[in-house]
Amino acid sequence: MCTQGEHASAANMMRWYYVYFENSSSNPYLIRRIEELNKTANGNVEAKVVCLFRRRDISGSLNTLADSNARDFEEESKQPSLSEQQKHQLKHRELFLSRQFESLPATHIRGKCNVTLLNETDVLTGYLEKEDYFFYSLVFDPVQKTLLADQGEIRVGSKYQAEIPDKLADGDLDDRVQEKLETKVWDPDNQLKDQQIDQFLVVARAVGTFARALDCSSSIRQPSLHMSAAAASRDITLFHAMDTLQKNEYDLARAMSTLVPQGGPVLCRDEMEEWSASEAMLFEEALEKYGKDFNDIRQDFLPWKSLASVVQFYYMWKTTDRYIQQKRLKAAEADSKLKQVYIPTYTKPNPNQIMAPGNKPGMNGAAGFQKGLSCESCHTAQSPQWYAWGPPNMQCRLCASCWIYWKKYGGLKTPTQLEGATRDAAPRVHMTRQEVQGMSPFTSSAGRAKLLAKNRQTFILQTTKLTRIARRVCQDILQPRRAARRPYASINANAVKAECMIRLPKASKTPVKNRPVVRPTLVTIVKELALQAPLKLKAPRGAPTPINRNQVTQPRAASNLLGKRTFDSVAGLPFAANGRPFTSAMRTTSQSVIKRQKVNQGDAPNPVVFVATKDTRALRKHLTQAEMRRAARKPHVAVRVKLPASLRPLPGSILPSSTNEPIVLED
């Protein structure tokens, strides 16, 4: 295939290897096993591959099952203790085999890797020390969404070894009962000669041929005399004849009478005769699909057969002309197919590379990325090349080595919150205001348009009765306060419900006392809302009144969008939204004569920053901790503040003027 650089390009020759496939520039590589290479009509090469899946490709419940299987393996094989980082990286080396096939273009191959079946003698840390090494122990079914142990387990280890007794000393007698240890089926020191034994075997074959002629089912399967004689000459007839001689103590007369009792000649048939032609075709089809996985062959194709029957038929089927014919056809088909293909080194730049305009690749900083950000995995600040990783609004990036690790192993070297890991460390407190605003969906116009395009149909999430009971019974496992502080961390609801079913019969029968919550009626709420609603006055006709957008529109838009709470009156004086008392030169929004402008959610401004005034901070100091918590839990309830006499505002004229001039709120 290639004449130049054969030694250098040997690594690029792919033939029945485990290889990396790239289907996305930002996602990790796919790991596949090449079964065969085919050439399409347009000259391209496609690879028929077997799919292998990572932990990130399966559901959370199956990951829990895989964790349980890994713990059992570590206990049985007595693995050395691993650190948390080693356990995290070891999950990236675990794969799940499947029986799903697919065809992928050979140009998407990015390299070779090694995948082995996990053995009890393997040391798990050895996989971390080797690059491009993976292991598997479970088989994943993408259709049924199940994980099963691989039946092809290699039984190597101390528990699979034979126990050899101690050697007897010279002169000691073996006092074991030989009849209990083994069964004697043939005595080579018998009184018969070899010629007599051969003659008895010929008689046994003749009796078997005559018995098949008398049997109706056998005469249908072997209609000719030659087929019946060939079936009677199989090993099952010879084994029966030699067993007959052993039972009759090698007496030819008694053995002859045993072969032909009073009811008729004895008919011995093996699995080749018991199976019909349709069953044999089903077995060949199953063998082509599953290989020598006899459990799956029996379960999916021949459930009415026993496993021993399937295994015996396989080894007898290998002695037939049918097997030899299929073997020749497969060999001819394999010769006509491609055996190897040269894959050139992939040198195209990755679109996730971060390069600033006019700078060389590898310089820190890029358009849209802030300078000084470190690697999300190893936290280094220097790298020859940076790659964008994660959500675009988070502006995360990886260094060159961590990016290669991400592409090959499907994870980061250290667990992070963005990768789905739950760490006990404190959240990031060094994020700037620009980073926080960058996480908001209202930051860009594209984000606002995407949010407004969502379906606004009302839906209700209603919990089941078992879920509500589990919240009370399993509070130590659920930890609702900790879950409320970490909304990004997933909760294993199935494990909580399972533990609830175990604890529920043992729980106390006394009902849980709940504090009654007095809620006002709907009529009362409507009346209060009507009293608190601002008075809408029509603007006078005439020339349009100019509006100072910087002074009027922005506070109103912020107030309408965010709904900031107002303080009640203190000592008979009303307080504004910013905590300052109204003066005679200020007017409330209820007295506005300017027509309100409707703010569209799609045209909403960037996130507004509220700066508390001196009076507002003074009011907060007079709130108790319980009142602060109550206000946070119930933002719709007005906050009542009792100020000391020294901080109360002086009484003055608070009557608003009745002019039609623009409203100016001074802060």
Side-chain angles (χ1 to χ4, degrees), residues 21-22 44-45 104-110 343-344 346:
F21 274 89
E22 185 175 26
N44 297 329
V45 179
L104 296 174
T107 54
H108 289 186
I109 297 176
R110 297 293 180 262
I343 306 297
Y346 187 77

Side-chain angles (χ1 to χ4, degrees), residues 338-565:
L338 293 175
K339 295 182 176 59
Q340 61 184 11
V341 60
Y342 176 77
I343 306 297
T345 305
Y346 187 77
T347 57
K348 294 183 179 180
N350 193 295
N352 293 278
Q353 290 183 4
I354 302 175
M355 291 184 294
N359 291 346
K360 297 180 180 180
M363 298 295 293
N364 286 345
F369 273 77
Q370 298 182 10
K371 296 183 179 180
L373 295 180
S374 60
C375 177
E376 196 68 25
S377 177
C378 63
H379 308 292
T380 183
Q382 296 180 357
S383 175
Q385 180 61 55
W386 294 98
Y387 295 86
W389 180 82
N393 58 350
M394 296 295 294
Q395 295 191 355
C396 300
R397 60 181 183 177
L398 298 178
C399 62
S401 61
C402 292
W403 176 259
I404 296 175
Y405 186 93
W406 159 257
K407 294 291 287 185
K408 287 185 176 181
Y409 305 113
L412 301 184
K413 295 179 181 179
T414 55
T416 61
Q417 297 177 357
L418 292 178
E419 197 188 6
T422 56
R423 294 185 296 181
D424 294 331
R428 296 174 62 181
V429 296
H430 60 274
M431 296 180 66
T432 61
R433 186 179 301 277
Q434 288 78 9
E435 293 178 0
V436 176
Q437 293 179 0
M439 299 170 60
S440 174
F442 292 99
T443 303
S444 61
S445 59
R448 291 196 296 267
K450 185 177 180 181
L451 184 63
L452 293 176
K454 291 184 178 180
N455 187 8
R456 297 185 179 182
Q457 183 178 0
T458 305
F459 64 94
I460 300 174
L461 297 178
Q462 186 175 5
T463 57
T464 60
K465 190 174 182 180
L466 179 59
T467 304
R468 294 195 296 270
I469 296 175
R471 292 173 181 171
R472 299 294 184 89
V473 179
C474 303
Q475 284 189 359
D476 56 334
I477 300 177
L478 183 59
Q479 297 181 354
R481 290 190 176 183
R482 188 172 185 271
R485 299 189 188 101
R486 298 166 178 256
Y488 52 83
S490 60
I491 298 175
N492 192 351
N494 295 329
V496 175
K497 291 181 181 180
E499 184 67 22
C500 176
M501 297 299 294
I502 298 175
R503 297 184 182 182
L504 198 57
K506 303 178 182 179
S508 60
K509 303 301 181 180
T510 58
V512 181
K513 297 182 179 180
N514 295 329
R515 292 183 297 178
V517 180
V518 180
R519 303 183 184 275
T521 61
L522 182 60
V523 178
T524 307
I525 295 175
V526 171
K527 290 181 179 180
E528 291 181 358
L529 292 176
L531 293 176
Q532 296 177 5
L535 180 62
K536 295 184 179 181
L537 301 177
K538 294 184 179 180
R541 296 182 180 180
T545 306
I547 300 176
N548 190 341
R549 184 177 299 273
N550 295 330
Q551 296 179 353
V552 181
T553 308
Q554 185 173 353
R556 289 181 183 172
S559 177
N560 292 338
L561 287 176
L562 302 179
K564 193 171 182 180
R565 184 191 302 111

Side-chain angles (χ1 to χ4, degrees), residues 551 555 564 577-580 586 609-616 664-667:
Q551 296 179 353
K564 193 171 182 180
N578 55 8
R580 298 173 62 183
M586 299 176 61
V609 179
F610 289 91
V611 181
T613 61
K614 183 179 180 180
D615 296 332
T616 305
V664 179
L665 298 180
E666 298 178 356
D667 191 356

Side-chain angles (χ1 to χ4, degrees), residues 583-630:
T583 60
S584 58
M586 299 176 61
R587 304 185 185 192
T588 60
T589 56
S590 61
Q591 298 167 342
S592 174
V593 295
I594 301 176
K595 188 175 181 181
R596 288 178 176 269
Q597 292 184 349
K598 213 169 191 180
V599 180
N600 188 9
Q601 190 177 7
D603 299 329
N606 288 335
V608 182
V609 179
F610 289 91
V611 181
T613 61
K614 183 179 180 180
D615 296 332
T616 305
R617 290 193 294 270
L619 291 174
R620 290 176 184 171
K621 293 181 180 179
H622 293 279
L623 290 176
T624 62
Q625 189 176 9
E627 291 175 346
M628 292 286 287
R629 290 183 177 179
R630 191 181 302 111

Side-chain angles (χ1 to χ4, degrees), residues 226-227 230 234 272 280 284 313-330:
H226 295 284
M227 296 178 65
R234 298 185 65 83
M272 289 297 297
E284 293 177 358
F313 180 81
Y314 168 73
Y315 287 102
M316 292 180 182
W317 172 77
K318 290 184 68 174
T319 62
T320 60
D321 295 337
R322 176 74 174 175
Y323 169 76
I324 298 174
Q325 183 181 2
Q326 286 193 1
K327 192 174 181 180
R328 290 175 180 173
L329 291 175
K330 287 184 177 180

Side-chain angles (χ1 to χ4, degrees), residues 169-189:
D170 296 339
D172 294 346
L173 298 177
D174 189 3
D175 55 354
R176 297 178 299 174
V177 181
Q178 298 295 329
E179 288 75 8
K180 294 183 179 181
L181 298 178
E182 56 188 3
T183 302
K184 192 174 184 179
V185 296
W186 183 256
D187 186 7
D189 299 329

Side-chain angles (χ1 to χ4, degrees), residues 2-14 112 341-343:
C2 185
T3 57
Q4 296 180 356
E6 292 182 356
H7 297 284
S9 62
N12 294 337
M13 295 295 181
M14 305 299 171
K112 293 191 299 184
V341 60
Y342 176 77
I343 306 297

